[in-house]
Amino acid sequence: MRDFYGTTLANGFMLGTAQYPSPAILAEAFRRSGASVATVSLRRESGQDRAGQDFWNLIRDLGVHILPNTAGCHSVKEAVTTAHMAREVFDTPWIKLEVIGEEDTLQPDVFGLVEAARILTEDGFQVFPYTTEDLVVADRLLNAGCEVLMPWGAPIGSGLGLNNIFGLRALRAHFPDVPLVIDAGLRLPSQATAAMELGYDAILLNTAVAKAGDPAAMAEAFALALKAGKLAQSADPMEPRDMAAPSTPIIGKAFLE
């Protein structure tokens, strides 16, 4: 497992904490998944009122790394302000940076994303940017100080899977030493397996588990899928070929006249 800003995770499963039917089901999903990171939104807290204190206590009891996010932010100023508030509340330099640019697809505003990433890294944050698979944007984010990239598989909450296999494969090939996390768009464990087979280091998802009929079972299924994909990728899969090839040697085959 690669390091994420100097932190080695037990596995590559990052799980969201929103939309679960109940706190108990959320906790059970984390227990069965063994996820190593929980993403949390500042919006679950309520300023001085601390209305989200019970939720925060639950998350801390999970014993996982906390990755606050700037979900719902549509401008650089909003994202930077939210990140600073999150650092105070959650006491971590990690921040999943979202700057949304398009309402229907929740596609990131990559220009604002790069600007916000530069501001935050210069201020000591360790930024996990939610981005696209665009190579140029990836290069800009790395130049801005990001050490991790989080390209989308598909639009947030869509469940469409890995929409651009070519782009995701190219991103992995261009940045072999950068930790890469598929963030958003997954619905099925098989899609997580495919991501790991591409050589990605982790996945981050929420809706696919929280909105499943049995969130805890789905969380465990995703955990198993990640292990399968990672094991397959490390086993050096054979290259595909256009022509058939016999799996049984023909040397020594009996010839009948």
Side-chain angles (χ1 to χ4, degrees):
M1 176 58 62
R2 293 179 196 266
D3 285 351
F4 294 81
Y5 291 104
T7 297
T8 301
L9 302 178
N11 57 61
F13 198 175
M14 304 179 179
L15 188 56
T17 56
Q19 306 184 76
Y20 289 83
S22 71
I25 292 176
L26 184 159
E28 180 64 8
F30 269 84
R31 187 189 68 78
R32 290 181 62 173
S33 72
S36 58
V37 174
T39 61
V40 294
S41 171
L42 183 67
R43 297 173 195 279
R44 295 297 298 267
E45 293 287 337
S46 182
Q48 298 301 317
D49 295 336
R50 306 291 290 177
Q53 189 61 51
D54 291 342
F55 167 77
W56 179 220
N57 289 338
L58 184 154
I59 297 301
R60 284 192 297 193
D61 289 344
L62 296 175
V64 298
H65 296 279
I66 305 299
L67 177 59
N69 63 56
T70 63
C73 292
H74 289 74
S75 70
V76 173
K77 182 179 180 180
E78 188 179 11
V80 170
T81 300
T82 302
H84 278 273
M85 294 172 66
R87 185 162 64 178
E88 289 189 18
V89 171
F90 299 110
D91 192 27
T92 173
W94 283 12
I95 189 72
K96 179 195 167 187
L97 179 60
E98 290 186 21
V99 182
I100 300 302
E102 209 285 321
E103 196 61 41
D104 290 334
T105 63
L106 299 182
Q107 183 170 349
D109 170 359
V110 295
F111 306 100
L113 182 69
V114 172
E115 181 181 352
R118 178 171 290 106
I119 293 171
L120 291 173
T121 55
E122 289 176 351
D123 200 24
F125 283 89
Q126 296 172 339
V127 179
F128 294 66
Y130 162 66
T131 183
T132 68
E133 66 276 11
D134 188 291
L135 295 177
V136 178
V137 175
D139 193 54
R140 296 290 190 278
L141 287 168
L142 295 174
N143 288 337
C146 297
E147 298 181 11
V148 175
L149 297 174
M150 303 182 76
W152 63 353
I156 294 172
S158 68
L160 294 173
L162 305 179
N163 268 357
N164 185 355
I165 294 289
F166 168 79
L168 294 172
R169 183 181 291 116
L171 189 67
R172 177 72 285 175
H174 275 72
F175 303 103
D177 299 323
V178 176
L180 297 181
V181 183
I182 292 291
D183 180 10
L186 303 188
R187 180 174 70 93
L188 294 171
S190 57
Q191 295 160 346
T193 301
M196 302 305 281
E197 289 174 348
L198 285 174
Y200 278 70
D201 302 293
I203 65 165
L204 190 158
L205 56 84
N206 189 154
T207 308
V209 168
K211 291 298 185 183
D214 185 339
M218 186 61 80
E220 183 177 352
F222 266 100
L224 294 172
L226 260 75
K227 291 179 181 177
K230 189 66 176 177
L231 182 60
Q233 196 274 336
S234 65
D236 190 16
M238 63 167 282
E239 292 295 327
R241 53 194 301 166
D242 293 330
M243 301 297 292
S247 57
T248 301
I250 60 173
I251 297 176
K253 179 181 178 182
F255 290 92
L256 302 178
E257 296 183 354

